[in-house]
Amino acid sequence: MKKLLAMVLAMVMVMCMAACGNAKSAEATWESQLGKKGVLRVGMAADYPPYESYDANGNVVGFDADMAKKIADYMGVELEIVPMDFDTIITAVAAKTIDAGISCFSYNEERAKSVLFTNTYMTSAQACYASTQYGINSMEDLKGGIVGAGNGTTGMDVANELSETYGYTTQAGENAIMAEALKAGAIQGVITEKCVADSYIASDSAAFKMIKDDLTVEEIKGITALGNDALLNKLNEAIAAIMKDEAKYNQLIIDWFG
């Protein structure tokens, strides 16, 4: 009887271990790591043209929006763009209220404590642009003035790092508001992604000019939550496939960056 009982217990343990193993396998699939079945929810800060901004109909458009759509199409899921402030995207990704952030993120060690980074899908640089009206022609001319940058962005990191060197103070703000502040002379410069600075200058070359276009060189990546390794691998697979088709990828860059 004892021998029979031991055999039964052993079989029960094997079945439990198999069940646990199957549960872990299910948890490890990228599909199971999506918050909504069949939907990739992507956070974007839509004040960052040409990466992302609103069109006349209120839709989020731009390079990142197109990349996110291509990634979702590759994965065979629906894309849901979730507009939010840039400095809230990492928190939302970490809390898994969205699945990914594709919003011109560049890697840094502090961010990597909270989220996983995908492989690079674009390279860029931090730049500083200014008004054409107030005699700001170089970084040195910013001394005693105010330089704006996006809250929680690497542009703000760069602005803070250079503030002592060039003798200015920093101020956080949204890009569209900072552009208007430049026109009014309320701030003297804005540090942001070069492509974003180029976009504002192209939209009003009489008002804005570039004073430094290579403050840093950065690699742009997507983000997902810690523990979403299967989803990260799938995102990387999608990015690799998109970039491998050089003709279509280069056309995407031309469409948004000229």
Side-chain angles (χ1 to χ4, degrees):
M1 179 64 72
K2 289 182 178 179
K3 186 175 181 180
L4 178 60
L5 180 59
M7 289 177 64
V8 171
L9 289 173
M11 291 177 66
V12 170
M13 289 179 65
V14 170
M15 292 172 67
C16 287
M17 290 175 66
C20 290
N22 289 336
K24 288 181 179 178
S25 297
E27 290 173 2
T29 65
W30 66 266
E31 292 95 339
S32 69
Q33 292 178 344
L34 296 175
K36 292 182 182 178
K37 185 177 180 180
V39 179
L40 179 66
R41 301 166 303 163
V42 176
M44 292 187 189
D47 66 339
Y48 221 54
Y51 287 98
E52 50 262 347
S53 60
Y54 290 108
D55 67 10
N57 297 316
N59 300 310
V60 179
V61 298
F63 179 80
D64 280 338
D66 282 359
M67 275 296 295
K69 183 65 169 64
K70 288 180 179 296
I71 289 170
D73 287 348
Y74 179 89
M75 296 168 68
V77 297
E78 180 184 347
L79 173 66
E80 179 184 333
I81 293 177
V82 184
M84 55 181 62
D85 292 340
F86 183 83
D87 60 342
T88 66
I89 297 176
I90 287 181
T91 302
V93 168
K96 298 187 178 181
T97 56
I98 55 175
D99 304 308
I102 300 176
S103 193
C104 200
F105 280 99
S106 54
Y107 176 89
N108 68 36
E109 291 182 1
E110 190 61 31
R111 287 174 175 171
K113 295 176 182 177
S114 303
V115 293
L116 298 173
F117 280 85
T118 70
N119 294 336
T120 300
Y121 65 85
M122 178 74 174
T123 57
S124 185
Q126 290 294 322
C128 185
Y129 75 105
S131 168
T132 58
Q133 304 301 313
Y134 303 104
I136 306 295
N137 300 305
S138 68
M139 295 296 290
E140 286 75 14
D141 293 334
L142 296 170
K143 185 175 182 179
I146 299 171
V147 171
N151 191 32
T153 66
T154 52
M156 179 56 82
D157 293 339
V158 172
N160 287 331
E161 288 170 7
L162 297 177
S163 61
E164 186 174 346
T165 301
Y166 293 107
Y168 59 74
T169 57
T170 59
Q171 180 174 299
E174 296 182 2
N175 278 280
I177 295 173
M178 290 189 293
E180 293 303 313
L182 275 181
K183 287 182 180 180
I187 62 176
Q188 284 62 55
V190 173
I191 292 179
T192 185
E193 292 283 337
K194 180 180 181 299
C195 296
V196 176
D198 285 339
S199 177
Y200 277 99
I201 292 168
S203 70
D204 194 345
S205 59
F208 304 121
K209 63 184 176 185
M210 187 76 73
I211 63 171
K212 186 69 173 176
D213 65 0
D214 59 352
L215 295 173
T216 63
V217 176
E218 298 177 344
E219 296 184 349
I220 307 304
K221 303 170 182 283
I223 59 172
T224 190
L226 295 176
N228 277 2
D229 297 84
L231 180 55
L232 177 70
N233 290 337
K234 192 66 177 180
L235 292 170
N236 283 335
E237 181 185 317
I239 290 168
I242 293 164
M243 296 183 70
K244 186 176 181 180
D245 190 338
E246 293 185 8
K248 290 183 179 179
Y249 178 74
N250 289 339
Q251 186 58 52
L252 184 60
I253 292 175
I254 291 169
D255 288 344
W256 290 106
F257 302 107

